[in-house]
């Protein structure tokens, strides 16, 4: 199953929001009733989309990946890991930090920022100077720095939760 790790350059794949050992075996979390899972916030959906965008870009750039494998990775939904990202966010960030990030990501500017970052848009062309200053202020905030630290795979909780969902998805793309 970890054939995906050998076929895809993980340092490129997972550099967006989730680091290279996301594909390591995750310890399964105890099963929870479906209604116990928190709804994915705009923040969690944005992080999930960033993780998947990085993986898609890495797969596209990997010369050893077969077209069917790339197509499979491309077909993974952008919000595929939003639920476990939400769990990590709720366990790792305080209510004030979560609210500040959600205010941004749920806003029109947050949506515009997310869309631009997913396609590696030039901020000078995608935003007015005022919009970029406001978006950059969020990215420079302590709440955002905590979000980044919480959702990288070097965080054991992120590796377990996010990797636990991501591993089977990628494994399905790279089965023999």
């Amino acid at each position: 199953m970890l054939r995906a790790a050998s076929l895809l350059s993980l340092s490129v794949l997972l550099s967006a929001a989730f680091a290279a050992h996301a594909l390591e075996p995750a310890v399964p979390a105890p099963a929870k009733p479906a209604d116990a899972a928190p709804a994915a916030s705009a923040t969690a959906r944005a992080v999930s989309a960033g993780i998947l965008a990085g993986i898609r870009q890495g797969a596209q750039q990997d010369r050893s990946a077969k077209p069917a494998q790339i197509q499979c990775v491309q077909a993974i939904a952008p919000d595929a890991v939003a639920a476990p990202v939400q769990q990590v966010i709720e366990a790792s960030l305080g209510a004030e930090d979560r609210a500040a990030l959600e205010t941004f990501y749920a806003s029109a500017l947050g949506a515009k920022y997310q869309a631009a970052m997913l396609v590696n848009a030039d901020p000078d062309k995608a935003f007015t100077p005022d919009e970029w200053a406001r978006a950059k202020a969020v990215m420079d905030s302590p709440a955002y720095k905590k979000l980044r630290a919480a959702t990288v795979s070097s965080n054991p909780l992120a590796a377990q939760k996010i990797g636990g969902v991501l591993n089977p998805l990628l494994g399905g793309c790279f089965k023999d």
Side-chain angles (χ1 to χ4, degrees), residues 139-159:
M139 299 309 112
D140 291 338
S141 73
Y144 182 78
K145 290 174 184 172
K146 290 175 192 174
L147 174 67
R148 292 290 303 234
T151 56
V152 295
S153 67
S154 58
N155 173 349
L157 181 63

Side-chain angles (χ1 to χ4, degrees), residues 5 8 14 25 40 58 64 67 87 98-99 106 116 120 130 134 139 160 174:
L8 298 175
L14 302 172
S64 66
Q87 293 172 346
R98 291 192 314 264
N120 295 316
D130 177 63
R134 289 186 291 139
M139 299 309 112
Q160 177 188 15
F174 295 94

Side-chain angles (χ1 to χ4, degrees), residues 1-2 5 21 34 36 46 63 69 74 100-101 104 106 108 128 139 164:
M1 179 161 144
L2 290 183
H21 52 82
R63 294 175 191 215
Q69 294 167 328
Q74 297 289 345
L101 291 165
F104 174 71
T128 67
M139 299 309 112

Side-chain angles (χ1 to χ4, degrees), residues 4-110:
S6 64
L7 291 174
L8 298 175
S9 173
L10 292 179
S11 62
V12 173
L13 284 179
L14 302 172
S15 63
F18 201 67
H21 52 82
L23 299 180
E24 292 178 3
V27 177
K32 288 184 179 181
D35 59 351
S41 63
T43 306
R45 290 189 309 273
V47 171
S48 178
I51 290 169
L52 271 297
I55 291 172
R56 285 187 194 101
Q57 181 179 9
Q60 195 70 36
Q61 293 172 351
D62 188 334
R63 294 175 191 215
S64 66
K66 297 174 184 167
Q69 294 167 328
I70 294 170
Q71 187 175 30
C72 180
V73 170
Q74 297 289 345
I76 299 172
D79 64 350
V81 294
V85 167
Q86 184 66 41
Q87 293 172 346
V88 170
I89 289 170
E90 290 197 3
S92 305
L93 278 71
E96 194 172 301
D97 290 330
R98 291 192 314 264
L101 291 165
E102 189 64 12
T103 297
F104 174 71
Y105 281 109
S107 72
L109 178 59

